[in-house]
Amino acid sequence: MSGAQLAILTVIVLLGTATAGVPLQRYEALLKQQSAPTDDQLGLYDDNDKVVQLSVANFNETVLEQNHGSLVEFYNTYCGHCRRFAPTYKQVAEQLHSWQEVVIVGAIDCAAEENNGICRTYEVMGYPTLRYMGPGFQPSVKNYGQDLKSQDPAEIRSLLAGFLAAENLTSSTNNTYWPNFHHVTENDSTSTIFEGLSSLREFVALVYEPENSTVGIETALFLLQWPALQVRRVSDLAAASKFKIDPTSHQLSIVNRKGDITPYAPAEQTGPSYSEAIRLALGKKNITPRPDKAELQHAAVTAIGEKSEHKAILEEVHRNKHFVYQADLEQAIRTVLHNEVPKVNEIGGERLLALQRFLGVLQRYNPLGHNGNQMLSKLKDYVVQFNQELTGKQFEQELQRLESQLGPIYSSTHFVGCTGSSPKLRGFSCSLWTLFHFMTVQAAENEESLDPLEVLQAMHGYIKNFFGCTECADHFQAMASRRKIWSVPNKEEAVLWLWAAHNEVNQRLAGDDTEDPQFPKIQFPSEKSCSQCYRTPGSTSDQMEINWNKDAVLSFLKNINNPQFVSRYGVQREDLLHATAEKMRQKRQISSVFSDMDMRMGMLLYAFCIVMMVVAFKLFAFKGYRKKPYGHDLLGKV
């Protein structure tokens, strides 16, 4: 062993000794921090909204076995349909905020890995999913709440009111704010309607509610904050007449404890309009609502990283709009494995086959380093052994075991090329397209692969069975059928098929509410990125039909998806990745330098040894000629 090599070995030993004192648990925690991104940037709602933000940390204590009902939206941040629905749901939460004593309006993000178990337990198969869970609710087999199929605010309000009224009739609750939803009958009088009420209740408002209407229920819920008032429903015409209600002109009346009845005519036949008419009437009597109670605590949202870092990433991406980034490829893989697949409760039949195919393709053409490749290989082998059914929980546990065993997998914990101007834009859907483009190119460059459909088939199966955006999945399947995905003749045509399909999606979503204004959905590549890709110079990318040079497009796609050209900007652990060509060249240069150094060090050590031997020889030789002292015996005596 040369001197240089000995020195290097010494350093390695010292480093090993230095880390030996680190507890294993702490080391594993550090590895987990390095490989797992946080979910802080996810979510479509914040503290400025009236939507209660739910997560695994507060879901059970907020929703289960409570004395109030809950309207819960299960959504996925990356789902375009969820993004379009978010403003509507915020509007619903704002309007129903006064109902909060009886029902809360909440939402849980199934794109957050921490919420996998909740979304899997409640068998959420599409996004967004709205469910009502009543007082005392506990999930059970085939009972995960009542679905609300509508996304219209008025219909949601009416459906929710119906559920709440049914709760009052079928179960008891210790919620003192719960309205009396029972109908007033012809047998009631101005005195009996006050029986059992607190003396604080000075007025009773009676609302005419036609058959198949919830206007009375809604009015009662809108006025929960008025302690001096109780709202009752009237459906019987005789009872309505008794309380001066005319269904055609004066649909409500207010009764005081003296028995005085005053009829009113709301502007519209809706709960908000009825409640507003009653508020105005009470205001004229100097009756006021109680102060709004403290709002339910929202989950803390902490911004990750500095704004300057986000700005720097956006500037990088704007400079290099056609670059493929390692960070985005990894985030796509991580989200699929840690979030999309584990949320599915039962994976069997066609879904299991789709997962096996997807993992097979991912294992062959992924961009990860050594640890990542080992993990994917072992994960694929684990899933392949199942013939009938695998649960999402089993998949999640095996994935966690492999990552704990193999160490850090991901070199980055955030998006780069798919970063949006706000955390709610772009992200996973962008990175998933990037990953599939990358894999079609790797398959085309792989001479051992003969199946032109292997990546497209894996993509189709994944999107159909696991992709969180149901609307997107339906659109993709329809487009795949129309574009004859199963007739793609070779691997290079597979690359172009996916490119053309992606451009069709961009065309469809251009100008959509989900579009990032800083990254408009144009036809790719732009003429600025690849002028040779356009047969007609000066043609614009927003034209419906562009005369493409498909040979140039294919070369362009192969070039930007070449692993050697994938940008590592923003990567935090480059040591986890395979060395690039440049790194290998530098390594070879360093190796040659060390070889020369080894020779010089060997010669110096050789010369040093000779000098030391000569010095030692002279010392011993000189000692042999020294005279012994005379007159001393062995004990040192004279």
Side-chain angles (χ1 to χ4, degrees), residues 9 22 58 64 84 91 97 137 140 260 263 296 330 342 368 406 428 438 451 460 506 535 579 627 629:
L9 180 60
V22 179
N58 66 357
L64 304 188
R84 286 190 289 273
Q91 176 187 340
H97 184 60
F137 176 78
S140 59
D260 299 327
L296 291 167
E330 292 189 8
L368 301 178
L406 298 171
F428 173 56
F438 177 84
D451 182 5
H460 187 277
N506 282 345
R535 292 191 184 277
K627 293 182 179 181

Side-chain angles (χ1 to χ4, degrees), residues 570-628:
V571 163
Q572 298 146 304
R573 290 289 307 273
E574 192 164 354
D575 58 299
L576 296 177
L577 303 174
H578 295 301
T580 62
E582 177 64 18
K583 290 287 185 182
M584 292 295 291
R585 183 183 66 80
Q586 293 175 357
K587 186 176 180 180
R588 285 194 295 269
Q589 289 178 342
I590 294 172
S591 297
S592 64
V593 170
F594 269 106
S595 296
D596 295 337
M597 187 182 294
D598 286 346
M599 293 177 64
R600 288 194 292 271
M601 287 293 293
M603 293 174 65
L604 286 173
L605 286 171
Y606 181 74
F608 177 78
C609 289
I610 292 177
V611 172
M612 292 300 296
M613 289 176 65
V614 171
V615 171
F617 176 79
K618 287 186 176 183
L619 287 174
F620 282 109
F622 176 74
K623 184 177 180 181
Y625 282 102
R626 290 179 61 188
K627 293 182 179 181
K628 293 182 179 180

Side-chain angles (χ1 to χ4, degrees), residues 324 326 329 365-368 433-443 455 498 560-563 566:
V324 173
Q326 176 73 23
L329 296 171
Y365 305 125
N366 74 85
L368 301 178
W433 278 110
T434 304
L435 176 64
F436 281 116
H437 284 301
F438 177 84
M439 291 199 297
T440 57
V441 170
Q442 306 320 303
V455 176
L498 187 59
I560 65 173
N561 286 285
N562 184 327
V566 170

